[in-house]
Amino acid sequence: MRFLEGVEENFRFMVLEVTKQVENTLKVLENPDPALVAKIESRDDYIDNLKSVIENKCFSRIHTGFGGDKRAIDLARAVNIITSNLERLADHAVNIVMQSQYLRDPHFIKRYDYKAFFSEITKALRLVVKALYNQDITLAFKICRAEVTLDALFKANFDIILKDLRKGESPENCITAHNIFRYLERMGDTILNIGEAIIFAAVGEKFKIHQYEALKETLGELGREVPISDGEFHSIWGTRSGCRIGKVEGARQGARTSGVLFKEGNAEKLRCETENIRRWEAIMPGLPPKVQAFHVDGDSASMLMEYLGGCTYQEVVLSGAPEIAANATFILEQTVRQLWQETRTDRTVKAGYVKQLTQRLDDVYRMHPSFRTPAMEMTGVPVAGFEAMLERTAELEARFEAPFSVFIHGDFNINNIVYNHEEQRIHYIDLHRSKDTDFVQDVSVFLISNFRMPVLDSLLRTRLDDVMKEFLSFSRAFAVENGDATFEARLTLGLIRSFITSSRFEFNHRFAKEMFHRGVYLMRKLDVHRQSGKPWEGFVLPDDVLIY
């Protein structure tokens, strides 16, 4: 590749120098030699300089953009990651040499199996250049798996060191030996990063080794090979729940799909999502994507789902023709109405909006500490602090319950709704939070997901405003039809929750403050109505709170 021509010599020297540092570190442990220690320390500066040279070249090439050549840019990024980790590995070698000088008995370390570490590390380092230059996934896996071996070696030697300490062996030597093995174990972490960077260079997507293994195992259940060529796997997004989502091309052909969706993450969340998908499918066939394979590996799991054709409702609203956007909204409302009607049960429920808010409040404060407002006094009038207002709102919420429950989406953001114009239908995705509860929760989340879109263009903002007004009108009509007298008050509580908790995802302090204050404003509106003594059936949400 063109990029490698510019850094090949520096990169080869970098790998060679780090390998020498590791080999010389082993020699120092075998036979302490002050001259060799000094050499290791002096060569560390040379490695640092090489890393800086390669880093500068990488960023220079990335900045020029390679004429839009993504593979070349990915390779530049991978080389930069690899050299950073090589430099870190060399630092660990220096740290080991420095620690060895604290051994009261230089031969004490020989009672443990440190040689196995060095053998594994040097084997991995000798594969780096070939694996990167040939974009060799198999060799990259061998490099990554060195970390597993090094972790096992560390555990075995750590257990022996503990036994020696319990037997009363020299504590100073035991602790120093432990420190040496800890640095050897950290070398495994850097080697893992190097292997994963090579996979990134070959595949064009950032994969943790456990994610790639999960994809391999899950595809294996369908009798397919893991994709390794460029273009077969495309990362779509990483969710805030920590799941990795991507599209695997070519699994199936047809009007509805053009591949499968791969999702990897917490086993409990994915298991819950799988169960919810099955329930949604029973309620309305075709609404959710079909689960084609599910694989569990300890605390992690992976699944393959049908990749749905169409685009997200968010994309339709922001970029679709006005008539298509209007049609999508109509079909969405018809779908939602049918789902609410079919899953309705005459069981009163409390969604607990203030409790949900409180559970996320630390994250809000962490992002925006100034939101933690204390009680104060203005012109002699006491003003309650935010948390005191929240407590009053929680007491007020205890009075309300939804007169019926429905099966809700649970994360009803506009990018979790897929619209297929050809089939004229709506699909739901990202369903691990689905449950039977107050339908107002989906309404409030949907409204705020429109409000918080980072869109300032007046035309697009008007589109979002119109969507919110239309969906609010639709929801109000459903509430009236179903005798829901406290809909407005509960929706206000739901919007308080969504306005305030959404601020934890917003770096723009001005906009985050706007959402937070709208939540506070709604709390005050509820409190004023409570003090008036008027029946809650007459309370009405001020619509303009949704218009930015």
Side-chain angles (χ1 to χ4, degrees):
M1 287 191 177
R2 287 182 294 123
F3 170 73
L4 288 175
E5 294 172 3
V7 299
E8 179 175 2
E9 184 174 328
N10 296 125
F11 184 75
R12 286 183 179 274
F13 271 122
M14 180 88 175
V15 176
L16 182 62
E17 284 297 323
V18 173
T19 304
K20 283 182 182 177
Q21 287 288 77
V22 172
E23 291 172 344
N24 286 335
T25 300
L26 174 59
K27 291 178 181 178
V28 168
L29 292 180
E30 290 282 275
N31 296 294
D33 180 356
L36 189 53
V37 170
K39 182 179 179 181
I40 290 171
E41 290 178 336
S42 66
R43 296 306 288 177
D44 190 54
D45 290 336
Y46 176 62
I47 290 171
D48 289 347
N49 290 335
L50 274 175
K51 183 241 183 184
S52 296
V53 169
I54 296 172
E55 185 180 74
N56 289 337
K57 288 185 177 180
C58 287
F59 279 105
S60 175
R61 300 297 180 84
I62 292 171
H63 181 70
T64 59
F66 287 101
D69 185 346
K70 182 180 182 302
R71 292 300 302 275
I73 294 172
D74 288 346
L75 184 58
R77 292 170 61 189
V79 168
N80 186 56
I81 293 169
I82 293 169
T83 51
S84 293
N85 280 279
L86 286 170
E87 187 262 344
R88 193 173 298 121
L89 194 151
D91 286 344
H92 292 330
V94 172
N95 290 331
I96 289 171
V97 167
M98 300 306 294
Q99 282 292 321
S100 69
Q101 297 177 73
Y102 293 109
L103 287 168
R104 293 191 173 185
D105 176 7
H107 297 289
F108 186 88
I109 192 72
K110 294 185 178 180
R111 64 173 62 196
Y112 308 116
D113 187 14
Y114 59 88
K115 291 182 181 179
F117 284 86
F118 286 93
S119 175
E120 196 68 26
I121 293 165
T122 52
K123 277 194 299 184
L125 288 173
R126 286 170 184 154
L127 296 175
V128 170
V129 172
K130 185 177 180 181
L132 177 66
Y133 281 47
N134 295 338
Q135 311 280 282
D136 193 321
I137 293 289
T138 301
L139 292 182
F141 270 122
K142 287 183 179 179
I143 294 169
C144 290
R145 289 185 180 120
E147 190 261 351
V148 177
T149 303
L150 292 171
D151 278 352
L153 286 170
F154 174 77
K155 177 64 168 61
N157 283 276
F158 178 70
D159 289 344
I160 298 171
I161 292 171
L162 281 181
K163 288 181 181 178
D164 286 346
L165 279 169
R166 292 188 183 108
K167 288 190 300 185
E169 296 287 348
S170 169
E172 296 87 349
N173 284 324
C174 284
I175 292 171
T176 300
H178 170 264
N179 290 339
I180 289 172
F181 283 110
R182 174 58 73 186
Y183 283 119
L184 288 169
E185 185 269 339
R186 288 178 182 173
M187 285 183 175
D189 297 334
T190 65
I191 288 170
L192 176 62
N193 291 338
I194 289 168
E196 289 177 346
I198 294 171
I199 293 174
F200 167 66
V203 179
E205 295 290 341
K206 280 195 172 181
F207 263 112
K208 292 294 184 184
I209 188 65
H210 75 270
Q211 292 170 335
Y212 203 91
E213 291 282 17
L215 176 59
K216 184 177 180 181
E217 292 289 338
T218 314
L219 282 171
E221 294 185 12
L222 291 180
R224 294 195 61 208
E225 293 294 326
V226 64
I228 60 173
S229 62
D230 182 49
E232 285 189 83
F233 181 91
H234 302 282
S235 180
I236 297 178
W237 65 82
T239 69
R240 291 189 174 112
S241 64
C243 291
R244 174 68 185 274
I245 301 176
K247 179 184 176 185
V248 183
E249 295 283 9
R252 179 178 165 191
Q253 299 299 322
R256 191 173 174 198
T257 63
S258 58
V260 291
L261 200 67
F262 167 73
K263 192 168 185 177
E264 187 272 342
N266 178 271
E268 186 57 35
K269 287 182 178 179
L270 291 189
R271 188 179 288 110
C272 182
E273 181 167 7
T274 301
E275 293 171 358
N276 286 335
I277 285 174
R278 292 194 181 104
R279 184 173 172 188
W280 281 116
E281 180 68 20
I283 294 168
M284 182 180 285
L287 179 76
K290 289 182 172 61
V291 176
Q292 299 186 354
F294 186 80
H295 177 78
V296 178
D297 184 12
D299 293 334
S300 297
S302 53
M303 59 195 297
L304 289 176
M305 296 178 291
E306 173 187 26
Y307 185 80
L308 300 169
C311 55
T312 66
Y313 182 71
Q314 174 180 307
E315 292 170 322
V316 175
V317 172
L318 294 179
S319 59
E323 61 274 14
I324 293 178
N327 185 64
T329 300
F330 173 78
I331 294 175
L332 171 64
E333 291 178 351
Q334 294 303 305
T335 303
V336 170
R337 178 187 295 277
Q338 181 179 343
L339 292 170
W340 285 349
Q341 289 173 336
E342 292 188 7
T343 63
R344 171 182 166 157
T345 58
D346 292 325
R347 179 176 64 89
T348 60
V349 289
K350 292 184 177 183
Y353 299 112
V354 176
K355 181 180 179 181
Q356 293 177 40
L357 192 165
T358 304
Q359 290 171 341
R360 296 163 174 81
L361 198 53
D362 283 345
D363 290 334
V364 172
Y365 289 154
R366 190 173 292 112
M367 179 67 78
H368 304 287
S370 63
F371 291 175
R372 192 193 293 267
T373 52
M376 60 185 73
E377 193 173 277
M378 296 181 67
T379 63
V381 178
V383 178
F386 171 71
E387 292 187 17
M389 290 178 59
L390 198 58
E391 286 180 16
R392 286 211 299 266
T393 306
E395 292 170 2
L396 180 61
E397 182 183 26
R399 305 181 185 184
F400 302 116
E401 58 184 13
F404 55 86
S405 72
V406 302
F407 191 48
I408 68 166
H409 182 291
D411 192 12
F412 205 44
N413 289 292
I414 57 175
N415 61 351
N416 283 335
I417 303 164
V418 174
Y419 169 65
N420 190 314
H421 187 64
E422 291 181 6
E423 296 185 357
Q424 289 289 286
R425 71 173 305 166
I426 290 292
H427 301 287
Y428 282 2
I429 59 174
D430 204 4
L431 296 163
H432 75 274
R433 291 193 179 97
S434 296
K435 60 182 177 180
D436 291 288
T437 189
D438 187 356
F439 78 102
V440 163
Q441 177 146 338
D442 268 1
V443 177
S444 63
V445 170
F446 179 87
L447 293 174
I448 299 305
S449 72
N450 282 274
F451 180 92
R452 73 184 187 196
M453 286 294 297
V455 174
L456 297 178
D457 178 86
S458 59
L459 179 61
L460 295 180
R461 196 74 238 175
T462 299
R463 280 193 173 197
L464 293 170
D465 292 345
D466 289 344
V467 167
M468 286 187 285
K469 291 174 184 176
E470 171 60 32
F471 198 80
L472 178 57
S473 176
F474 156 76
S475 302
R476 279 173 166 157
F478 181 84
V480 171
E481 291 167 15
N482 288 271
D484 188 351
T486 59
F487 167 80
E488 299 280 340
R490 298 197 326 280
L491 178 57
T492 302
L493 288 164
L495 291 173
I496 290 169
R497 175 260 191 202
S498 294
F499 267 128
I500 293 173
T501 61
S502 291
S503 67
R504 76 192 194 276
F505 300 128
E506 182 56 61
F507 281 101
N508 184 320
H509 184 73
R510 181 178 176 181
F511 188 59
K513 189 175 180 180
E514 185 75 35
M515 290 192 288
F516 182 83
H517 282 172
R518 287 178 188 239
V520 172
Y521 164 75
L522 290 176
M523 282 198 283
R524 295 190 188 281
K525 291 290 289 186
L526 287 174
D527 196 44
V528 169
H529 191 87
R530 177 186 62 81
Q531 293 179 42
S532 73
K534 296 178 181 178
W536 284 102
E537 289 77 4
F539 178 84
V540 178
L541 169 78
D543 295 10
D544 57 358
V545 76
L546 294 169
I547 307 304
Y548 180 62

